[in-house]
Amino acid sequence: MQRGALLDAARSLLSEGGTEALTFPALAERTGFARSSVYEYFRSRAAVVEELCAVDFPVWAAEVENAMQRAETPEAKIEAYVRRQLDLVGDRRHRAVVAISASELDAGAREKIRAAHGGLITMIVEALGDLGHTQPRLAAMLLQGSVDAAVRRIELGVAEEPGVIADTAVAMVLRGVSG
């Protein structure tokens, strides 16, 4: 119960103010717990983020996978993969996961996050193979790079609307840069 409240508070703090906002005093204040109680559950900010990733990433990945399962063609699966990830950018769970840099996490935590992302990439390999890619795993990693760039563009709050960024990203991954 308290662990869940702390994680929810951490999501809110990261979503509202980024990494700097996630402090143990802020967690204690947000939850009404004593600061010492926060330390009973987590040894560091990185430990909080690691647990957020462990809890939230599978939910997020399942949403992407569900969107892909509803699609009927390889192209539609790829579009669903891109769009659902970009739709989730504003979600507190996603914002919390990306708000803190991987350099603040220990090697074990970074490896867990890499493995989780690898699972996400695996979702799209079959669709790329069905389209005739001779290197579907490589194509999947490059496709994810395009998604990651679109995510960063949305998070920056640039001039383009998120829908325009999503449409452009989908067009690029489906048709390449020839437009």
Side-chain angles (χ1 to χ4, degrees):
M1 178 90 138
Q2 286 184 336
R3 187 178 215 85
L6 287 165
L7 290 174
D8 196 47
R11 284 181 197 98
S12 294
L13 289 165
L14 286 166
S15 182
E16 294 163 11
T19 306
E20 299 77 29
L22 181 60
T23 64
F24 281 23
L27 281 171
E29 181 180 330
R30 185 69 60 110
T31 58
F33 302 153
R35 191 182 328 178
S36 60
S37 294
V38 177
Y39 283 100
E40 288 177 29
Y41 289 94
F42 301 104
R43 67 188 184 289
S44 65
R45 290 184 332 154
V48 175
V49 173
E50 183 178 351
E51 183 145 345
L52 282 173
C53 291
V55 170
D56 292 346
F57 193 87
V59 174
W60 184 62
E63 290 185 34
V64 174
E65 187 171 30
N66 289 338
M68 289 179 65
Q69 287 174 346
R70 290 190 300 272
E72 295 183 11
T73 66
E75 293 88 350
K77 288 181 185 304
I78 291 167
E79 181 170 355
Y81 177 87
V82 173
R83 286 194 187 279
R84 191 64 193 130
Q85 286 188 70
L86 298 179
D87 287 345
L88 290 168
V89 170
D91 185 294
R92 283 184 331 137
R93 293 167 300 172
H94 179 265
R95 291 184 58 85
V97 168
V98 299
I100 195 166
S101 71
S103 63
E104 291 192 40
L105 301 177
D106 63 30
R110 283 195 305 274
E111 185 53 39
K112 287 178 189 175
I113 292 169
R114 260 194 297 279
H117 276 98
L120 192 62
I121 289 170
T122 300
M123 288 182 202
I124 200 67
V125 170
E126 183 179 347
L128 291 164
D130 290 345
L131 286 176
H133 279 278
T134 58
Q135 298 282 332
R137 179 109 179 119
L138 174 60
M141 289 186 277
L142 295 172
L143 186 154
Q144 185 61 45
S146 294
V147 173
D148 294 343
V151 165
R152 285 189 300 278
R153 189 91 182 147
I154 291 169
E155 288 174 340
L156 286 173
V158 295
E160 302 92 5
E161 292 293 319
V164 171
I165 295 170
D167 291 345
T168 303
V170 167
M172 284 190 64
V173 300
L174 290 177
R175 294 190 296 263
V177 295
S178 64

